Amino acid sequence: MMKTARAKPPRRAAPKKPSNTGQKDPVGVYCRVRPLSPTDQECCIEVINETTVQLHPPDGCRVNRNGEYKETQYSFKQVFGTQVTQKDLFNSVAKLLVEDLIHGKNGLLFTYGVTGSGKTYTMTGSPGQGGLLPRCLHMIFNSITDFQAKRYVFKTDDKNGIEVQNEVDALLERQKRDNQPQVVTRTPLSRQKPETEFADMINIEDGCKVEEIDEDSVYSVFVSYIEIYNNYIYDLLEEVPIDPIKPKPPQSKILREDHNHNMYVAGCTEVEVKTTEEAFDVFWRGQKRRRIANTQLNRESSRSHSVFMIKLAQAPLDADGDHVLQEKEQVTVSQLSLVDLAGSERTNRTKAEGSRLREAGNINQSLMTLRTCIEALRENQMCGTNKMVPYRDSKLTHLFKNYFDGEGKVRMIVCVNPKADDHEESLQVMRFAEMTQEVEVARPVDKPIFGLTPGRRYRNQAFKDELTRRLEERGGPVIGEPEEQAVIEMLIQSFPAIPSCELLDANDDQTLPRLIEALEKRRRIRQMMAEEFNKSITSFRSMLQDFNGVVAAKENMAQGKMTERERTIVSQRSEIERLEKKVKTLEYKIDILEKTTTIYEDEKRTLQQDLEVQNQKLQRQLSDKRRIEARLQGMVTENAMKWEKECERRVAAKQLEMQNKLWVKDEKLKQLKAIVTETKGDAPERPSREKDREPKVPIRSISPSPVPTVPPVHSRHRRSRSAGAERWVDHKPPGSVETETVMQPHVPNSIKVSVASEKALSKCDKYMLTHQQLASDGEIETKLIKGDVFRTRGGGQSVQFTDVETLRQQSPPGTYRKRRSSESNRPPQVENTDSEWTDVETRCSVAMEMRAGSNLGPGYQHHAIPKRRKP
């Protein structure tokens, strides 16, 4: 049962983006010429100046049809020769893209060229010569180091967006992730020191910095790394649990469109990084998983398009310049995509087979789709047409269609190899690059101003510094004074009160003794307190000594245990190093096995597809065979029935022919006998027999009357009583049977119809209907029902029947002849039929014609309807 299709809700229109429709920039195309290798002697590319290169064909095909040298020149925005450094290339091509990234604008940079032309070297670099990617990362972190947000303040969602959370939530999330058990990966995400494999690539001493940066914002960098292999998207940073028994192949990702109509890879891993080393570590981890293979043209040929995406999220500080604004609308997200395209190649040169051949076909198909999209954009812009650009034909073009629609700057570096063997491929690359320069992309707009006062960060920092300085000048907060004063007051209150020491008289002898007594009590109390204090000090000192002994013993014990633990740690560390080496070896083997498994899986999938195609083809052939067999069986059965009927018809015709011949001979014998009997008039009569006296009943033949071989006798018609001057309607129904009698009723000047019609009745005065039925003796009885035609008042016709004429088929009555004898008492006997018909007088008195083939003798017509046989 089919489900009713549910109507889709109308798609909500996306918010209109501001764009500079009047301002457009052409796609920046740069050319880089690779140095010629020592083994290649002939060079086919020459740098003319900073913007022009010249291609000349090698010696084998240097002459064209006219017998002249065919050299072509191509112009670019800038041409880099063989002596150019990675720094100069970065400053000319990628530096402006990084500045736009920090200012909230998108950018796309990709390398294009044939296999072995230096695309991966240009993008990644080599030890001591970092490429465009590490230099971009170094410039980004060198610019935003003092303005980075704490980790997890910016958080990615699943819809290509960035959310902002406060520092407390970010701290809780950091603690939560730190407490979670870490998944054992082959290469840890963060390291204290970079690996030696790429340490020289990111050690850039002459790093540049963006000068104009928004100091009232905080920044955070997210990186992701994908590859497009056989038109499928795979996440190179996705951690898949390793199953040594049954390893799972990586799952492909799909492209989706966010609410701003920007394309993104759904479910792609995005890692927040804080340093250049950490970002390049993530890139290097994904680079190890990228698919490469050894071909005839390149030892490590890229078999996929790699895309390294740097996403920069920035949000302004609040009015106090202390915390980040929590509004999602205030977050600005910009992205820089660095694409290393797989090299275009010819299979006849790479000698690719099997999976390598399919990879090359998919690579060339995606690059051809990119070229088709560029041509369609160029045609729409130059000719004013509205031709549809086929972005969806390839995942590569579909992912970056927003850049060509005006979401950022586009830069392309064309890498060429000057050796003579790559001349034809380099020629195609140059033509495509020159055509790409004619495509213009809308210039992206600057980010909007939020209306907050600039300089908030530094004003807040200056206020904090001044507050700290003033507190230091005042001596800082007094800690512990209130507690000391309270203890002193409590001790003073425990002493006895001092009496009044005022002397009013010289003879006063009571005031001083009271004062001396009070002071003595105070002294005694003080001594007692001092003694108690000394006892407490002594006991406390003994307790401290005992505690120090215990602590020393414990320290000795701990030191011993620590020594043992250090020995264990050293041994375990050596074991760990051994296991790490073993793990690396196993990882290398696993990589090889994974690649081999992938190849086998692809071949298995291909073979299964071929098997399914062959099975479907075989099923179609079997069904066609069964259908043809059924058709042939039907044709055989039909032909058998047809020939069987034809044989029966021929046998019947042959039997009928033989019967006719036999009957003709019998008739001739009978006629000859009759003639002989008639000539002998005086011959004595034959004595009668008992069987002759019995009336002989004519026996009809079972078979129908044979067709005479002699020419048929023309039938004569008798004039019917209906013949006259009137005009008749002769109505014979379709089922009427011809009686085949000699005296047929004939009505001249009549209209013969099979169905009575008003038109025929309007033209005639008389009407005759032929009606046939079966009589009691088995013969056909024909009745002619006649009537007059009258006109009615309404303009129609009516028939009034007036007469019925009956026509019957019957045998003539038997003719008896008395014997010439005087015996009158003897009853009359029927004579033999043969002798009866030999009597000339009797035959003349009957006066009837006989139809050929009748077995009743000459002169009699057999009126029975012959039974028709099936042919």
Side-chain angles (χ1 to χ4, degrees):
M1 182 176 180
M2 296 181 62
K3 296 181 180 180
T4 57
R6 186 170 58 182
K8 295 183 179 180
R11 186 175 184 179
R12 185 171 60 182
K16 187 176 180 181
K17 299 180 182 180
S19 60
N20 297 337
T21 56
Q23 299 179 356
K24 293 185 177 181
D25 296 327
V27 176
V29 181
Y30 302 84
C31 179
R32 185 178 190 181
V33 181
R34 174 181 175 174
L36 194 66
S37 60
T39 57
D40 298 325
Q41 301 297 330
E42 187 177 1
C43 178
C44 64
I45 297 178
E46 181 181 358
V47 179
I48 303 299
N49 51 37
E50 294 182 354
T51 59
T52 308
V53 294
Q54 179 175 329
L55 271 74
H56 53 81
D59 295 335
C61 56
R62 181 170 284 183
V63 181
N64 62 2
R65 295 180 180 178
N66 298 328
E68 299 176 355
Y69 291 101
K70 186 178 181 181
E71 297 178 350
T72 55
Q73 293 184 358
Y74 297 93
S75 299
F76 300 94
K77 189 172 183 179
Q78 190 173 352
V79 176
F80 302 97
T82 58
Q83 303 298 327
V84 68
T85 60
Q86 299 279 49
K87 177 183 177 182
D88 297 336
L89 181 66
F90 170 78
N91 292 334
S92 301
V93 180
K95 185 176 180 180
L96 294 177
L97 295 179
V98 176
E99 293 179 356
D100 289 343
L101 176 71
I102 296 178
H103 293 156
K105 300 176 184 179
N106 298 330
L108 172 63
L109 174 62
F110 60 94
T111 56
Y112 180 78
V114 299
T115 299
S117 59
K119 301 183 299 298
T120 305
Y121 171 77
T122 301
M123 186 62 67
T124 306
S126 62
Q129 291 290 331
L132 298 179
L133 191 147
R135 291 180 181 274
C136 290
L137 293 173
H138 188 271
M139 182 176 179
I140 292 172
F141 288 104
N142 193 26
S143 303
I144 65 172
T145 300
D146 299 332
F147 311 107
Q148 288 195 72
K150 294 183 179 180
R151 197 181 294 271
Y152 305 127
V153 171
F154 291 94
K155 186 178 180 181
T156 60
D157 56 9
D158 296 333
K159 299 179 181 179
N160 199 29
I162 298 292
E163 297 178 352
V164 184
Q165 56 185 0
N166 54 33
E167 295 184 0
V168 177
D169 295 337
L171 179 60
L172 293 176
E173 187 169 354
R174 285 199 301 271
Q175 293 178 355
K176 180 180 178 180
R177 297 199 180 189
D178 292 339
N179 294 330
Q180 287 179 353
Q182 299 293 330
V183 180
V184 178
T185 58
R186 298 178 189 171
T187 54
L189 180 61
S190 60
R191 298 178 182 270
Q192 297 296 331
K193 295 182 180 180
E195 290 187 356
T196 56
E197 295 178 286
F198 58 84
D200 294 337
M201 295 184 185
I202 61 177
N203 188 13
I204 301 172
E205 298 178 355
D206 52 352
C208 51
K209 180 179 180 181
V210 178
E211 299 298 336
E212 297 179 0
I213 186 171
D214 188 4
E215 299 173 348
D216 295 324
S217 299
V218 292
Y219 301 86
S220 185
V221 180
F222 297 86
V223 295
S224 57
Y225 197 18
I226 63 172
E227 71 170 352
I228 303 176
Y229 176 72
N230 287 341
N231 207 24
Y232 290 98
I233 300 177
Y234 298 98
D235 186 6
L236 295 177
L237 303 180
E238 184 178 13
E239 295 294 342
V240 181
I242 302 175
D243 190 355
I245 299 176
K246 188 178 180 181
K248 295 181 179 179
Q251 298 295 325
S252 62
K253 305 296 181 180
I254 61 175
L255 290 177
R256 288 184 179 174
E257 190 175 13
D258 60 7
H259 65 284
N260 292 326
H261 298 289
N262 295 324
M263 303 305 302
Y264 70 98
V265 180
C268 180
T269 304
E270 293 182 342
V271 182
E272 185 179 7
V273 291
K274 295 299 180 183
T275 60
T276 305
E277 293 79 6
E278 187 178 352
F280 202 80
D281 184 21
V282 173
F283 165 76
W284 199 255
R285 177 158 54 95
Q287 186 72 7
K288 290 182 179 180
R289 300 179 181 178
R290 189 182 175 189
R291 290 174 172 85
I292 60 175
N294 184 13
T295 63
Q296 295 290 333
L297 301 181
N298 192 357
R299 187 173 61 86
E300 294 182 355
S301 176
S302 301
R303 313 310 297 168
S304 63
H305 310 295
S306 65
V307 182
F308 187 78
M309 290 176 285
I310 306 172
K311 184 180 292 185
L312 180 66
Q314 53 181 322
L317 297 173
D318 55 5
D320 297 333
D322 194 11
H323 301 287
V324 184
L325 288 177
Q326 301 295 317
E327 299 178 4
K328 189 175 181 180
E329 293 77 9
Q330 302 294 341
V331 180
T332 302
V333 180
S334 55
Q335 181 172 306
L336 175 61
S337 299
L338 304 176
V339 184
D340 182 13
L341 296 178
S344 61
E345 56 189 16
R346 292 189 177 183
T347 56
N348 57 356
R349 293 186 58 200
T350 58
K351 308 298 181 184
E353 296 179 355
S355 60
R356 298 283 89 80
L357 183 61
R358 290 192 297 272
E359 291 171 359
N362 289 317
I363 291 171
N364 295 334
Q365 181 64 32
S366 61
L367 296 177
M368 184 60 67
T369 304
L370 176 62
R371 182 168 186 170
T372 304
C373 294
I374 295 295
E375 290 178 352
L377 286 172
R378 174 176 170 271
E379 183 179 352
N380 291 339
Q381 294 177 3
M382 298 184 65
C383 303
T385 59
N386 194 17
K387 186 177 180 181
M388 186 187 70
V389 182
Y391 290 119
R392 294 179 178 271
D393 291 351
S394 174
K395 296 294 177 57
L396 177 66
T397 55
H398 194 196
L399 179 60
F400 299 116
K401 78 180 188 66
N402 304 106
Y403 292 94
F404 293 99
D405 291 340
E407 292 297 329
K409 292 183 179 180
V410 180
R411 296 288 183 268
M412 181 174 71
I413 300 178
V414 178
C415 300
V416 292
N417 194 338
K419 66 179 182 179
D421 294 339
D422 292 345
H423 174 263
E424 295 184 3
E425 289 84 352
S426 300
L427 191 63
Q428 298 295 329
V429 169
M430 292 293 184
R431 291 174 181 173
F432 170 67
E434 192 175 39
M435 179 187 61
T436 306
Q437 294 183 115
E438 301 177 0
V439 177
E440 294 182 349
V441 179
R443 184 179 300 177
V445 298
D446 296 331
K447 65 177 183 179
I449 300 175
F450 299 107
L452 298 175
T453 305
R456 302 182 300 278
R457 180 191 293 271
Y458 286 115
R459 282 200 303 271
N460 186 27
Q461 186 66 30
F463 174 75
K464 290 181 179 180
D465 295 341
E466 182 66 19
L467 182 61
T468 303
R469 185 183 64 80
R470 290 186 179 184
L471 289 175
E472 290 178 354
E473 290 179 355
R474 293 176 58 183
V478 180
I479 301 174
E481 291 181 357
E483 291 80 3
E484 293 178 0
Q485 292 178 359
V487 172
I488 293 172
E489 290 176 357
M490 185 177 63
L491 291 173
I492 291 173
Q493 290 176 2
S494 63
F495 289 160
I498 298 175
S500 177
C501 54
E502 183 179 2
L503 294 176
L504 299 177
D505 189 6
N507 298 321
D508 189 1
D509 55 352
Q510 295 180 357
T511 302
L512 292 177
R514 286 197 299 267
L515 179 61
I516 293 171
E517 184 179 2
L519 292 176
E520 286 290 335
K521 288 182 179 180
R522 283 179 173 255
R523 186 180 64 82
R524 287 194 299 270
I525 293 173
R526 186 172 182 180
Q527 289 178 356
M528 291 174 60
M529 292 177 65
E531 291 176 357
E532 292 291 335
F533 183 74
N534 290 329
K535 291 180 181 180
S536 300
I537 290 175
T538 304
S539 63
F540 183 73
R541 186 174 295 170
S542 63
M543 289 175 61
L544 286 178
Q545 289 177 358
D546 296 337
F547 183 76
N548 289 332
V550 173
V551 169
K554 290 183 177 180
E555 284 181 354
N556 294 331
M557 187 182 298
Q559 188 68 28
K561 291 182 178 180
M562 187 73 67
T563 305
E564 294 178 359
R565 293 290 177 87
E566 286 179 355
R567 293 189 189 130
T568 306
I569 288 173
V570 170
S571 61
Q572 290 180 353
R573 188 173 297 171
S574 60
E575 182 68 16
I576 288 173
E577 291 177 355
R578 186 184 65 81
L579 293 176
E580 283 182 351
K581 292 180 181 179
K582 186 176 181 181
V583 165
K584 289 183 179 180
T585 305
L586 294 176
E587 283 179 358
Y588 178 76
K589 293 181 180 180
I590 289 172
D591 290 336
I592 295 176
L593 291 176
E594 284 181 350
K595 293 178 181 179
T596 307
T597 304
T598 304
I599 295 173
Y600 286 156
E601 289 291 336
D602 294 338
E603 292 179 356
K604 178 182 177 182
R605 195 179 300 108
T606 304
L607 292 175
Q608 286 180 350
Q609 293 176 358
D610 295 339
L611 181 60
E612 291 177 358
V613 171
Q614 294 296 333
N615 287 334
Q616 293 177 1
K617 185 177 180 181
L618 182 60
Q619 292 295 333
R620 287 196 299 268
Q621 290 178 355
L622 290 177
S623 61
D624 293 340
K625 181 179 179 181
R626 288 194 294 268
R627 186 168 58 253
I628 292 173
E629 287 178 355
R631 186 182 300 173
L632 291 176
Q633 188 68 24
M635 293 175 64
V636 168
T637 306
E638 184 180 357
N639 290 333
M641 294 176 63
K642 182 177 179 181
W643 284 109
E644 185 178 356
K645 293 179 180 179
E646 182 68 17
C647 291
E648 291 178 358
R649 187 184 65 79
R650 291 185 180 181
V651 170
K654 198 67 176 178
Q655 289 178 356
L656 185 60
E657 182 181 358
M658 299 301 295
Q659 289 178 2
N660 289 336
K661 290 181 180 180
L662 183 60
W663 180 83
V664 170
K665 291 181 180 180
D666 292 339
E667 287 297 326
K668 289 181 179 180
L669 290 175
K670 288 180 181 179
Q671 292 177 3
L672 182 59
K673 183 177 180 181
I675 294 171
V676 171
T677 306
E678 186 178 359
T679 53
K680 297 180 180 180
D682 298 334
E685 294 182 356
R686 185 174 53 183
S688 61
R689 300 177 183 175
E690 290 298 325
K691 65 179 180 178
D692 294 334
R693 293 191 183 96
E694 296 177 359
K696 182 179 290 186
V697 180
I699 301 174
R700 299 181 182 178
S701 63
I702 299 175
S703 61
S705 301
V707 180
T709 56
V710 296
V713 182
H714 295 286
S715 60
R716 292 180 296 175
H717 302 277
R718 67 177 178 84
R719 188 174 182 82
S720 176
R721 291 182 295 173
S722 302
E726 297 87 356
R727 193 164 186 185
W728 289 75
V729 176
D730 189 2
H731 181 190
K732 288 187 177 181
S736 300
V737 180
E738 295 295 337
T739 57
E740 299 181 359
T741 57
V742 177
M743 298 299 180
Q744 293 285 341
H746 178 66
V747 181
N749 196 18
S750 63
I751 298 176
K752 296 182 179 180
V753 296
S754 59
V755 179
S757 62
E758 185 180 356
K759 183 178 180 181
L761 293 174
S762 63
K763 297 180 180 179
C764 301
D765 300 328
K766 298 292 184 177
Y767 176 83
M768 182 176 65
L769 174 63
T770 302
H771 173 68
Q772 292 181 339
Q773 64 182 5
L774 192 64
S776 59
D777 57 355
E779 300 293 343
I780 293 179
E781 180 181 4
T782 303
K783 291 184 179 180
L784 304 178
I785 305 173
K786 303 176 183 179
D788 299 329
V789 180
F790 297 96
R791 271 67 175 178
T792 60
R793 291 183 179 182
Q797 288 80 23
S798 64
V799 179
Q800 181 179 2
F801 296 102
T802 57
D803 188 14
V804 177
E805 182 178 353
T806 304
L807 303 178
R808 296 193 62 185
Q809 299 178 357
Q810 61 183 1
S811 300
T815 305
Y816 300 97
R817 184 178 63 180
K818 295 181 180 180
R819 299 184 60 184
R820 297 177 182 178
S821 62
S822 59
E823 297 178 359
S824 59
N825 296 328
R826 187 174 296 176
Q829 298 179 356
V830 180
E831 295 182 354
N832 190 9
T833 305
D834 295 338
S835 62
E836 179 184 6
W837 290 107
T838 56
D839 190 354
V840 179
E841 182 179 0
T842 304
R843 291 167 54 196
C844 293
S845 63
V846 175
M848 298 182 69
E849 294 182 357
M850 180 191 69
R851 181 180 176 183
S854 177
N855 58 356
L856 298 179
Y860 184 77
Q861 182 179 5
H862 183 249
H863 296 281
I865 301 175
K867 184 178 181 182
R868 298 182 181 178
R869 291 180 178 233
K870 295 182 180 180

